[in-house]
Amino acid sequence: MKKELYTMAQDTRRLPAASDGITERYFDRILVETRYLDAQTPDVSATLFGRKVSTPVTTAALSHFKGKEEDGLAEMAAGAAQAGALALVGMTTPEQYAAVAASGAAMVRIIKPYDDDREVTLRIRQAEELGAVAVGMDIDHSFGADGKPDNVMGKQMRPRTMHELEALCRSTELPFVVKGVLSAEDARKCVEAGARGIVVSHHHGIMPNAVPALMVLPEIARVVRGRAAILVDGSFENGMDVFKALAMGADAVCVGRVLMGPIQQEGAAGACRVLQEITGELAAAMARTCSPDLRSIDPSVLWIDGQRFRP
């Protein structure tokens, strides 16, 4: 009997809440007031890492999924090119990346934190040669669920120190982007190390109970103070979500899983369609809040839990 009770206790232990669900609930706590007088049709174009793009909506740094007819990443990048959007690209082999780069999209290559530095260097040099607008590292894949260095697709990973990050930033003339920033402390270290971009992200809930990106974003924006581009991802699915992030300090917003189904059904056209639809919804939110361009979005149109947002 004692053994049976012990087994039942083990089976019913409380588990931490999934970060994706926490994030989605936080979106709904942020409301938006309208401002129609003196409003005009908005300009939603942006400049990211020196490249003019049609929208601040970018693809997330997805990896490993099949598209309609070929590699899903190649179709994602082709759709981004058609939509005039920036494409972040995640884990690939050098051969896969060459095919993705052939899409002609403005691309940011996000590299895993490989234990073998040669793997990192190889991918940085390839990104340079194939015309990427920026390159970066996915620091939130440093550890696995057991707290030990992660292993992804048979490749060993390891965490990086701030000193190593400084060396990575100096190793290329491309802007270096750090993905997986979810604290003002890491944001400060990234900027001081020379990073020219960060992606505020909890990597689709890689850690339970992670703070929603939008909750910590205003503090990160105060620390960065315009010294690096701030991108944000995590459960963004529509233009109003994007608007809220831009109002809270982001320069661009990455969408990922919302693209995967359309890519698998429609290929590049599906990615293009979703990116354009989300951009149109963003434009509607901007028009209805008297925001003529991205720089003019007033954070005070947001209300969080019944209180006006103050950055």
Side-chain angles (χ1 to χ4, degrees), residues 214-282:
L214 285 189
M215 186 179 286
V216 74
L217 176 59
E219 185 179 7
I220 288 175
R222 287 193 293 272
V223 168
V224 173
R225 298 197 309 275
R227 294 176 291 171
I230 300 175
L231 290 75
V232 60
D233 76 9
S235 299
F236 288 88
E237 295 187 352
N238 57 66
M240 185 56 77
D241 291 346
V242 172
F243 177 83
K244 292 172 183 178
L246 297 175
M248 298 177 87
D251 296 298
V253 175
C254 310
V255 298
R257 293 187 180 271
V258 71
L259 296 175
M260 293 178 68
I263 290 172
Q264 290 166 342
Q265 296 170 9
E266 306 169 50
C272 178
R273 176 180 59 78
V274 173
L275 289 167
Q276 289 177 335
E277 286 176 355
I278 293 174
T279 300
E281 293 162 357
L282 167 63

Side-chain angles (χ1 to χ4, degrees), residues 134-262:
V135 66
M137 179 168 282
D138 175 7
I139 62 172
D140 53 9
H141 246 305
S142 300
F143 297 103
D146 59 0
K148 298 176 182 178
D150 206 355
N151 186 292
V152 184
M153 304 292 288
K155 297 286 188 178
Q156 191 68 27
M157 306 291 149
R158 67 176 172 83
R160 293 306 195 275
T161 65
M162 187 173 172
H163 176 72
E164 289 174 310
L165 178 56
E166 290 173 347
L168 285 167
C169 292
R170 292 195 302 267
S171 72
T172 178
E173 293 185 0
L174 291 175
F176 198 87
V177 180
V178 182
K179 179 180 178 292
V181 175
L182 202 63
S183 66
E185 180 65 11
D186 270 357
R188 177 188 63 78
K189 289 180 179 180
C190 288
V191 172
E192 291 179 0
R196 291 167 59 187
I198 62 173
V199 182
V200 181
S201 171
H202 61 47
H203 202 111
H204 195 57
I206 199 169
M207 184 179 79
N209 284 138
V211 63
L214 285 189
M215 186 179 286
V216 74
L217 176 59
E219 185 179 7
I220 288 175
R222 287 193 293 272
V223 168
V224 173
R225 298 197 309 275
R227 294 176 291 171
I230 300 175
L231 290 75
V232 60
D233 76 9
S235 299
F236 288 88
E237 295 187 352
N238 57 66
M240 185 56 77
D241 291 346
V242 172
F243 177 83
K244 292 172 183 178
L246 297 175
M248 298 177 87
D251 296 298
V253 175
C254 310
V255 298
R257 293 187 180 271
V258 71
L259 296 175
M260 293 178 68

Side-chain angles (χ1 to χ4, degrees), residues 60-144:
L62 297 178
S63 306
H64 319 301
F65 78 100
K66 181 168 175 52
K68 181 183 179 184
E69 297 178 359
E70 53 182 298
D71 178 56
L73 295 182
E75 293 179 340
M76 179 185 76
Q82 294 170 20
L86 191 68
L88 276 66
V89 177
M91 188 178 188
T92 67
T93 65
E95 294 75 21
Q96 286 174 314
Y97 183 77
V100 175
S103 68
M107 291 183 29
V108 179
R109 187 175 195 182
I110 301 296
I111 301 166
K112 294 295 183 198
Y114 295 100
D115 179 59
D116 187 344
D117 286 334
R118 293 172 298 181
E119 297 270 14
V120 177
T121 300
L122 170 66
R123 286 161 174 78
I124 290 175
R125 298 293 167 257
Q126 185 184 32
E128 293 171 336
E129 293 168 3
L130 295 182
V133 299
V135 66
M137 179 168 282
D138 175 7
I139 62 172
D140 53 9
H141 246 305
S142 300
F143 297 103

